[in-house]
Amino acid sequence: MADQKIFAGPRIRRIRSAKGLTQTAMAEGLGISPSYLNLIERNQRPLTVQLILKLASVYKVDPHELQGEARGSVAALKEVFSDPLLVGELPGDQELIELAEAAPNASAAVIKLFRAYREQAERLSDLNELLAREGKATALSGARLPIDEVHEIFERRPNHFAALEEEAEAFTSVLDPGDDLLGALKAWLKREYGVVVKVLPVATMPNWRRRYDRHSQRLFLSERLSPFDQLREVAMEACLIRMTVAVASEIQALKLTTDEARRLARFELGRYAAHALMMPYQSFHAAATRARYDIDVLRSRFGVSFEQAANRLTTLQRPGTPGVPFFMLEVDNAGNRFRKAGSQGFPQSRFGGGCPKLPVHAAFAQPGQIFVEAVEMPDGAEFLCVARTLEGPQGSFSERPRRTALLLGCDIGFRDEIVYGAALPGPAAAAAGKAGQGANPATPIGPACRLCERIGCLARAEPPVTRPLGLDEMVTGLSAFDFQ
C-alpha cells in the first residue's frame, strides 16, 4: 500500500455518511483537520498508510474496501457504453471510473437496466423471428453495429452477384492463367500497376494477413497463410482494383447506412469476386455436377481449400444454369455463429442454425473428418447437412491454432444429386428407424433453444420464449428447463 497512492474520496464520504458524521467530527476522530478531510473526499489528496490504519481502528473500516472496489463496475459499465445505442457518448475510461467511484449504487442500477434491456431485445428478436416464420412481417428493430447490418443483409439475399460473375469471367480472359492463376495475377499486378507481391515471415508481419503499401507499391502477405489463402488474398486485391465500379454499384444496391458497413461489404464482395476468379462459374458448375458436388474432388481440381470450394457451392444460382441451392454456416468451438450465406439466402425461418445438436458442433471432436447427417425440424422439414472443421492461419509452436467448423446444407430432396446422400439411410431404412426398428433416422433438431418446443430434449440450453416454465416440485424432466 505504501508504494501505491490510493484515492478513495467517494468511499470515505459514504463511510462518513453511513455513520452520520460531519466532516469536522470525522476529522477529529482521525486526528486531521476538516479542510484536509475535505480534500481527501474530493480526491485531491491520497490516503496515507497512517490514515488507513486509523480508519481501521477508529471506524472499523476494512482496508480492502478502500482499494479496487469499482473495478468490476467499470468493466460492466464499459460493456454498457459499448452498445451501439450509447457508443461514442463517453470520451474515455476516466469518466466511467469516476462514475463507478462516486455513485456505485447508481452504477449498479445502470448495469441492471442495461442487462434487462439486452434481455428484452433478445426476446423481441426471438418474437420477430417467430412472426417471420409465420409470414407476418414486423418492424421490430434495434441499434445495430455495422457488422451486424452487413451480416443481416448478406444472409437475407441470395449469395449470387451476377455483375461480379461477369467481371470475373472478363478478367479471366485477360489473364489467360492456364494452370498458374497466382503467377498470372502477380504478372498482371506488376505489369499494370507496378505492384510486387511479397511473402513476409511471421516476425515481420505478426498481426496482418495482407498489407498493401501504396508508397512502395508492394503487396505483403503473411507466411501464416496456406497457399490457397495466399492465392485468395492476391485475387481479392486484384479484383478490388479492376472491379472498382462493379463493386461500388453492388454496395450502393445494398443500401447500407454507414461508411463502416460499406467498407465491410466491400471486403465481402472482394472475397466473392476472388472466388469467382479462382473458380469460374461455367467450369466450376460443370465440374460440380459431374462430381456430384464432392467438395474434396472440387478442391483438388481447382487448387483451392475445402472452405473455398464449399463457399463457392452456395453461389451457383445463375439463371439457366443453377446448381443445388446450398446454404452455409460457420461457427467456432464456443458456438459463435459468424458466417451464414445461401444460394437463396440463409434459411433462417426454416432451418435456424442455432441447434446444439447440429453436426457442425460434433465436428470439433474429430478435426478433418466429414460428418454427413439428415436433420428434421419440428414442422417435418428435412435437410442434408455436411460438416467439417477448418484450420485457420498457421501459428508458431506456442500459439493455439484457430479452428472453426463449417456446415453445408440443402433440402433433403436433393440427396440423390449429391455424393453425400449415399451416406444416409434409404427411405425404407429411414421409415423403419422412425418405427423404432434400429435404423438411423433424421436427427430431430430445432431452430434454436429459445424458439424450439421439443419436449425432453437432452441438449436444451434455454427455455422456449413461447411456453411458460413448468415449475413442479414433484416432477423433474430430462431437460434443465422443463416447460408446460
Side-chain angles (χ1 to χ4, degrees):
M1 269 188 279
D3 299 329
Q4 178 181 338
K5 291 183 177 180
I6 299 174
F7 291 89
R11 279 166 277 180
I12 296 296
R13 185 164 56 249
R14 289 201 308 274
I15 292 170
R16 179 174 61 78
S17 298
K19 295 183 179 297
L21 299 173
T22 63
Q23 282 189 341
T24 301
M26 187 174 210
E28 185 177 342
L30 294 174
I32 58 176
S33 67
S35 60
Y36 186 65
L37 179 59
N38 182 266
L39 291 173
I40 290 175
E41 289 191 0
R42 288 190 286 130
N43 270 347
Q44 294 184 8
R45 293 290 186 275
L47 291 177
T48 63
V49 174
Q50 291 79 8
L51 268 178
I52 292 173
L53 295 175
K54 197 78 171 177
L55 283 164
S57 62
V58 176
Y59 297 111
K60 311 301 179 187
V61 175
D62 185 350
H64 293 290
E65 290 183 29
L66 304 174
Q67 303 182 76
E69 180 183 283
R71 288 179 184 174
S73 295
V74 170
L77 286 170
K78 281 185 181 180
E79 181 185 1
V80 172
F81 284 94
S82 65
D83 187 83
L85 194 64
L86 300 174
V87 68
E89 293 291 333
L90 296 181
D93 293 346
Q94 185 57 39
E95 198 166 340
L96 295 181
I97 295 171
E98 292 172 1
L99 176 61
E101 290 276 0
N105 293 334
S107 300
V110 169
I111 294 165
K112 284 182 180 178
L113 280 173
F114 171 73
R115 289 174 177 166
Y117 150 76
R118 188 170 58 183
E119 174 66 20
Q120 290 303 315
E122 290 175 358
R123 289 181 176 273
L124 282 173
S125 177
D126 293 336
L127 178 60
N128 192 26
E129 188 174 324
L130 280 172
L131 292 173
R133 288 167 61 191
E134 297 176 2
K136 300 173 182 176
T138 68
L140 296 175
S141 64
R144 295 175 299 172
L145 291 170
I147 188 65
D148 297 326
E149 181 184 7
V150 172
H151 281 173
E152 182 177 322
I153 288 177
F154 275 85
E155 289 165 14
R156 286 181 175 178
R157 72 177 310 282
N159 190 25
H160 181 80
F161 295 87
L164 297 185
E165 295 285 355
E166 293 175 5
E167 289 282 344
E169 289 176 350
F171 196 9
T172 299
S173 64
V174 169
L175 291 171
D176 191 18
D179 295 329
D180 185 15
L181 177 59
L182 182 59
L185 284 168
K186 288 181 178 179
W188 181 83
L189 286 169
K190 176 65 175 176
R191 181 178 65 252
E192 299 294 331
Y193 297 94
V195 175
V196 176
V197 179
K198 187 176 180 60
V199 178
L200 294 183
V202 175
T204 306
M205 200 165 74
N207 300 321
W208 299 312
R209 297 168 59 94
R210 171 189 60 173
R211 185 171 74 87
Y212 177 44
D213 188 339
R214 297 182 185 275
H215 299 290
S216 64
Q217 290 292 86
R218 288 186 293 177
L219 176 62
F220 298 117
L221 303 177
S222 171
E223 67 176 358
R224 291 176 182 268
L225 302 178
S226 68
F228 314 116
D229 287 338
Q230 289 183 16
L231 171 59
R232 179 165 60 186
E233 295 298 327
V234 176
M236 281 182 63
E237 193 67 41
C239 287
L240 289 173
I241 291 174
R242 179 181 168 85
M243 305 180 191
T244 303
V245 175
V247 170
S249 177
E250 293 289 357
I251 292 174
Q252 185 176 6
L254 295 175
K255 297 180 179 179
L256 299 164
T257 59
T258 65
D259 289 339
E260 185 176 353
R262 285 184 279 272
R263 183 182 64 82
L264 292 168
R266 187 172 184 270
F267 177 85
E268 292 293 334
L269 293 173
R271 181 165 57 183
Y272 181 99
H275 287 163
L277 188 65
M278 295 160 65
M279 296 165 275
Y281 191 99
Q282 292 290 0
S283 58
F284 187 82
H285 177 269
T289 304
R290 287 195 302 270
R292 300 182 64 221
Y293 300 92
D294 189 324
I295 301 173
D296 284 315
V297 170
L298 294 172
R299 66 185 290 201
S300 298
R301 187 163 300 171
F302 289 87
V304 296
S305 68
F306 186 95
E307 177 266 330
Q308 291 165 356
N311 196 327
R312 186 62 169 143
L313 286 177
T314 68
T315 68
L316 301 182
Q317 286 299 292
R318 174 176 287 179
T321 54
V324 169
F326 286 103
F327 57 86
M328 178 184 71
L329 166 70
E330 187 177 353
V331 303
D332 63 16
N333 56 6
N336 299 307
R337 300 184 296 278
F338 54 90
R339 286 187 63 199
K340 294 190 285 188
S343 296
Q344 300 172 352
F346 186 80
Q348 185 71 31
S349 59
R350 296 176 56 230
F351 181 75
C355 182
K357 293 193 291 186
L358 286 171
V360 69
H361 302 292
F364 288 104
Q366 300 182 57
Q369 180 176 330
I370 293 178
F371 288 76
V372 180
E373 194 171 287
V375 298
E376 181 182 14
M377 298 296 291
D379 62 1
E382 292 190 32
F383 299 89
L384 184 152
C385 295
V386 180
R388 183 189 184 276
T389 55
L390 306 174
E391 300 296 328
Q394 300 301 305
S396 61
F397 172 74
S398 60
E399 292 179 300
R400 180 177 296 172
R402 178 180 181 268
R403 179 174 290 150
T404 60
L406 181 132
L407 180 142
L408 194 70
C410 67
D411 191 276
I412 196 71
F414 294 97
R415 58 179 293 171
D416 293 334
E417 300 178 37
I418 303 169
V419 67
Y420 304 106
L424 302 178
K434 289 182 179 180
Q437 298 177 20
N440 294 320
T443 301
I445 67 166
C449 289
R450 291 169 71 99
L451 304 174
C452 180
E453 296 184 0
R454 287 193 183 276
I455 296 174
C457 178
L458 296 176
R460 180 173 291 281
E462 293 181 288
V465 296
T466 55
R467 303 285 289 274
L469 286 175
L471 304 177
D472 189 341
E473 295 181 358
M474 306 301 293
V475 179
T476 300
L478 294 174
S479 167
F481 303 98
D482 298 333
F483 56 89
Q484 298 177 12

